[in-house]
Amino acid sequence: MMFCFRSARFKRTVIAWVAVFALLAEAVAGQTGSATKATERRGIAHPGDITQIQHIIFILKENRTFDNYFGTYPGADGATTAKISTGQTIRLAHTPDPPPRDISGHGWFDAIAGMDGGKMDRFDVIPGSNSNGDYMGMTQLTQKDIPNYFAYAQSYVLADRMFSSLQGASFANHLYMVAGQSGGAFTIPSASGVTPKGAWGCDSPSDTTVKVENEDETITSPFPCLDFETLTDVLDDAGVSWKYYAPAIGQPGAIYSSLDAINHIRNGPEWDDHVVSDTQFVTDAQNGTLPAVSWLVTADTNNEHPPSGVCPGENWTVKQVNAVMQGADWNSSAIFITWDDFGGFYDHVVPPVVDFFGMGPRVPLLVIAPFAKKGYISHTTYEYSSILKFIEARFGLSSLTARDAQANDMTDSFDFTQSARAPLVLQQRTCPFLTTDSNFGFQQLGKTSATTSLVFTNRGTDTLTISGISTTGDFSQTNACPATLTQGKTCKISVTVTPTKVGARAGKLSVTTSASSSPTTTNLFAIGTVAMVTPTAVKEFADTAINSTTSQTLTLTNAGSSALTITRITSTGDYSQSNTCGSSVAAGKQCTVTVTFAPTVTGKRYGGVTVTPAAPEIPQTISLMGVGLAVTYSPHKLTFSSQIVGTKSPPQTVKVTNPGNAPLIMGAIAATGDFSQTNNCTASLAPGTSCTINVTFAPTATGTRTGTVSITDSDFGSPQVVTLTGTGT
């Protein structure tokens, strides 16, 4: 079995930011043998006994934090304000539903950046969280937005100490959900720099790789068809039935079918026997044919992954839960509903650190069962391995890894002595006809903004008559909506804003129809300003070695008719700034802000530069992103002169340098094609030292010959690749 903990070097680099949290409680004592439990599962349950649970259902949704969903839930540890990178504390605004975009920054380095060493104050600078001042990552929903999730919490269990297992995104966290580890993987698979859409495992395109830290502290980029023991293997050995319900390979949502990344399952009999369509779950639940253990994932249209809406995702969840509650298995079931990573959204609770991989930011968890405590808020620390631990405790199974061995098993959320409670069958609701909010961010005073298109959808059961569309405040609209709109049809409404004053501007878009809920409204927001900082999107820097620097320039324009007073300009993270702005900028003039990136550690490094004009202007923060490298190598390409087939060229040299402050752990160095290499690189390259790789060319055929030298090391950018070209004659 493969199980990796991160190196001491990487721990210093990435997670020295918070004291190690006490390890979670020991495994439940008195577990009986798996054969005994397998028999007991089929027998009569005893009152007060966990064996009353015969069906465990693990539903995985996408990309939300606890504060984003339940920050306003009474009695829970939620927040309605957040500290951001400028030092300000802001109120969490309302999350649009559906949201206008995915928050692109919700991976490994994004989570680390947002948590900022336990300060939890830089979620605003991760990519996509703050676009032109809209602060979408610093928003939350209320009971009105997710009434059925609140109803489940009020009737069953809401956990406010549930953390993602890994401080990163979906791929690795989904592996923890089946195995209590990720095999060292900590990024999303990518192929030629693009995230595959069809599959993230053994069915990925052939050039797909995923970043993995190995036990020798090197980072490699293998094909994401990994192999290690999962809970499904243990269930098989114990004779406990299971299914993994997921979209089929090639269908939307197949990327979340995590067993596709486990080689012996994807390419073994278990795949055909146990991995089935997510659409089959409702049928199995209604027919009372659920296995003992179920995992259930679905496509983005229903899993709440932005920009998909929360409402249809909640409706999908209600449909699955209702199927269990109305089927024969309800009285013996336990349903766990959780979300797979933070999605770029803010959360205020500092995650515990149990190893290099995690934990990551909090996510919601609902526990729904006839033996779940009523209206209980669990403050016990959980992670995805805790659900595995509950399954292991129920069926007397051994632990897979240190994670599930140390995890709390979730039994505190249950009362097995109570009578089985009746099901709470909920109604799916009609989703909003329009997105609930639209934020235009910073817009120049007196100038009409670019158009934002909002889609009006008839989600009712009858044809709608549209009698009026209007806006208030500084906002205006044009539309292509017909007088009548049949069920399921859409029309586009184009909205612009022309700020009449500096500062926050608010208005509404209203659509009056024949629906009983009419009018349908969207809250509109913008910030009027004369201080325009460009670019408004994330400013990206070239990859830069530790102890080196790279610079980029921002432009500040005073679009007003009088001088603009500048209070201060500041930067955060591995970034510093100098500027030509002084204390004021004349009307119609510009100044420049030069930002310098000096990475202190390897990997993606996020920060921000904030321009604060005098009131009533509002500070503008531009997100910054660069990659710190622990190794430099040159040249990046070698070209060999023509060489007679069957003979060997003189060597050419690649120099590898460690410019950092810590030893660089060297791994394999390999050449491909008609090229070979020798090197004097040792297992550990000391700070400030170099080694050399000598490459020779021995063509096996005439014409152009190509190859590479790959250099594997403990750097995030590993493996480094030198391209090779030569001509055989």
Side-chain angles (χ1 to χ4, degrees):
M1 180 176 69
M2 179 180 181
F3 182 64
C4 303
F5 282 98
R6 293 288 189 177
S7 66
R9 182 187 68 81
F10 258 47
K11 282 188 177 180
R12 289 194 302 272
T13 300
V14 183
I15 61 169
W17 49 263
V18 66
V20 176
F21 193 87
L23 291 178
L24 302 178
E26 293 296 323
V28 172
Q31 292 180 340
T32 60
S34 59
T36 301
K37 286 293 186 183
T39 301
E40 196 172 54
R41 178 175 59 86
R42 299 180 182 90
I44 298 173
H46 303 287
D49 193 335
I50 192 176
T51 61
Q52 293 175 104
I53 300 299
Q54 298 181 35
H55 305 280
I56 299 172
I57 300 149
F58 194 168
I59 300 177
L60 294 311
K61 307 304 292 280
E62 292 290 314
N63 290 45
R64 303 286 174 164
T65 62
F66 187 90
D67 281 339
N68 179 245
Y69 266 26
F70 292 103
T72 63
Y73 191 87
D77 184 7
T80 56
T81 61
K83 190 173 182 181
I84 59 175
S85 62
T86 62
Q88 298 171 279
T89 296
I90 65 172
R91 179 162 293 279
L92 298 179
H94 187 241
T95 306
D97 187 24
R101 64 181 184 277
D102 180 22
I103 297 176
S104 55
H106 53 84
W108 173 263
F109 290 103
D110 309 300
I112 292 169
M115 293 187 291
D116 188 24
K119 298 176 184 177
M120 312 301 282
D121 63 356
R122 288 189 184 170
F123 286 84
D124 61 310
V125 299
I126 61 179
S129 176
N130 173 23
S131 178
N132 191 32
D134 70 356
Y135 289 100
M136 195 183 90
M138 322 299 291
T139 62
Q140 65 185 171
L141 299 164
T142 65
Q143 182 173 3
K144 182 179 178 181
D145 303 303
I146 46 175
N148 286 330
Y149 284 147
F150 267 65
Y152 287 143
Q154 292 159 352
S155 296
Y156 300 103
V157 176
L158 173 68
D160 69 2
R161 295 284 297 176
M162 174 70 175
F163 297 88
S164 50
S165 293
L166 178 137
Q167 47 197 11
S170 296
F171 179 74
N173 273 315
H174 275 252
L175 290 173
Y176 272 89
M177 293 171 187
V178 295
Q181 63 155 310
S182 65
F186 62 100
T187 65
I188 293 294
S190 63
S192 302
V194 178
T195 303
K197 299 296 184 183
W200 282 357
C202 301
D203 288 286
S204 297
S206 59
D207 62 341
T208 304
T209 61
V210 65
K211 293 292 183 185
V212 170
E213 164 126 337
N214 302 291
E215 293 181 355
D216 63 359
E217 304 181 10
T218 60
I219 294 177
T220 53
S221 301
F223 184 67
C225 191
L226 310 175
D227 222 353
F228 44 85
E229 189 176 27
T230 73
L231 185 62
T232 66
D233 299 308
V234 180
L235 294 172
D236 282 339
D237 291 342
V240 178
S241 61
W242 64 272
K243 284 183 182 177
Y244 194 103
Y245 296 86
I249 300 301
Q251 297 296 313
I255 57 175
Y256 306 115
S257 188
S258 56
L259 293 179
D260 183 49
I262 307 299
N263 184 42
H264 73 270
I265 295 177
R266 177 61 186 94
N267 296 307
E270 290 90 349
W271 183 264
D272 291 334
D273 293 343
H274 297 282
V275 180
V276 300
S277 172
D278 56 316
T279 61
Q280 186 177 324
F281 180 83
V282 167
T283 300
D284 288 354
Q286 291 174 336
N287 292 340
T289 56
L290 288 173
V293 179
S294 302
W295 286 266
L296 175 58
V297 297
T298 192
D300 286 349
T301 49
N302 289 319
N303 66 18
E304 297 151 54
H305 190 303
S308 296
V310 172
C311 179
E314 184 190 54
N315 280 346
W316 178 90
T317 303
V318 167
K319 181 179 179 180
Q320 315 307 308
V321 174
N322 282 351
V324 177
M325 290 181 169
Q326 294 172 321
D329 294 331
W330 163 247
N331 281 347
S332 58
S333 292
I335 305 170
F336 300 94
I337 304 170
T338 190
W339 283 254
D340 74 341
D341 69 69
F342 77 116
F345 288 100
Y346 173 78
D347 195 83
H348 78 282
V349 174
V350 182
V353 179
V354 294
D355 56 40
F356 176 77
F357 292 100
M359 302 173 187
R362 280 193 313 172
V363 293
L365 171 67
L366 294 164
V367 183
I368 302 170
F371 299 102
K373 295 178 180 177
K374 181 177 175 60
Y376 178 66
I377 300 173
S378 172
H379 304 301
T380 303
T381 299
Y382 296 146
E383 55 143 319
Y384 306 132
S385 300
S386 297
I387 302 176
L388 302 189
K389 182 67 167 287
F390 183 86
I391 296 169
E392 292 161 356
R394 164 57 186 89
F395 296 113
L397 308 175
S398 58
S399 301
L400 284 162
T401 69
R403 277 296 193 92
D404 53 325
Q406 297 162 351
N408 291 313
D409 66 9
M410 312 190 78
T411 53
D412 70 300
S413 292
F414 294 84
D415 180 358
F416 295 112
T417 65
Q418 70 185 13
S419 299
R421 294 168 50 204
L424 177 69
V425 176
L426 299 175
Q427 294 297 313
Q428 297 182 48
R429 59 194 177 96
T430 301
C431 294
F433 288 14
L434 270 172
T435 185
T436 53
D437 302 87
S438 184
N439 193 335
F440 288 69
F442 286 97
Q443 299 294 333
Q444 184 177 327
L445 181 68
K447 182 178 180 181
T448 300
S449 70
T451 297
T452 293
S453 293
L454 302 178
V455 177
F456 181 86
T457 304
N458 179 2
R459 301 187 188 278
T461 57
D462 301 316
T463 296
L464 285 180
T465 299
I466 300 176
S467 56
I469 300 177
S470 62
T471 55
T472 63
D474 292 346
F475 300 87
S476 59
Q477 65 82 27
T478 59
N479 68 84
C481 294
T484 58
L485 198 65
T486 56
Q487 180 185 7
K489 296 298 183 180
T490 65
C491 64
K492 183 184 295 185
I493 304 172
S494 299
V495 183
T496 59
V497 61
T498 308
T500 58
K501 291 183 179 180
V502 170
R505 313 303 297 153
K508 283 186 182 295
L509 168 67
S510 296
V511 182
T512 304
T513 70
S514 55
S516 59
S517 58
S518 179
T520 297
T521 61
T522 295
N523 297 311
L524 305 173
F525 307 95
I527 304 169
T529 183
V530 298
M532 296 300 299
V533 181
T534 54
T536 58
V538 175
K539 189 69 171 176
E540 295 191 24
F541 290 74
D543 294 358
T544 304
I546 292 175
N547 295 330
S548 300
T549 61
T550 305
S551 296
Q552 296 267 20
T553 300
L554 304 174
T555 301
L556 169 62
T557 302
N558 177 6
S561 58
S562 59
L564 175 70
T565 300
I566 303 298
T567 301
R568 63 183 179 275
I569 300 176
T570 58
S571 59
T572 58
D574 290 348
Y575 301 88
S576 59
Q577 65 82 28
S578 61
N579 65 81
T580 63
C581 301
S583 60
S584 68
V585 180
K589 298 298 183 181
Q590 296 181 331
C591 62
T592 58
V593 180
T594 301
V595 183
T596 300
F597 173 43
T600 56
V601 298
T602 61
K604 293 180 181 178
R605 308 295 294 159
Y606 299 124
V609 61
T610 301
V611 177
T612 306
E617 290 279 352
I618 294 175
Q620 296 181 49
T621 298
I622 306 300
S623 297
L624 310 171
M625 183 180 75
V627 175
L629 299 178
V631 60
T632 62
Y633 65 105
S634 62
H636 291 203
K637 180 178 181 179
L638 296 178
T639 301
F640 289 80
S641 301
S642 297
Q643 187 72 26
I644 296 173
V645 172
T647 65
K648 181 182 290 188
S649 72
Q652 293 194 44
T653 299
V654 176
K655 184 178 181 180
V656 180
T657 303
N658 176 9
N661 303 314
L664 184 70
I665 308 303
M666 299 298 296
I669 298 174
T672 64
D674 291 347
F675 303 88
S676 60
Q677 64 82 30
T678 60
N679 66 82
N680 64 356
C681 300
T682 57
S684 178
L685 192 61
T689 64
S690 302
C691 64
T692 57
I693 303 169
N694 294 314
V695 183
T696 57
F697 172 45
T700 58
T702 59
T704 301
R705 313 298 291 168
T706 60
T708 61
V709 169
S710 61
I711 307 164
T712 303
D713 52 55
S714 52
D715 189 8
F716 172 74
S718 175
Q720 316 284 354
V721 177
V722 179
T723 59
L724 310 172
T725 303
T727 302
T729 62

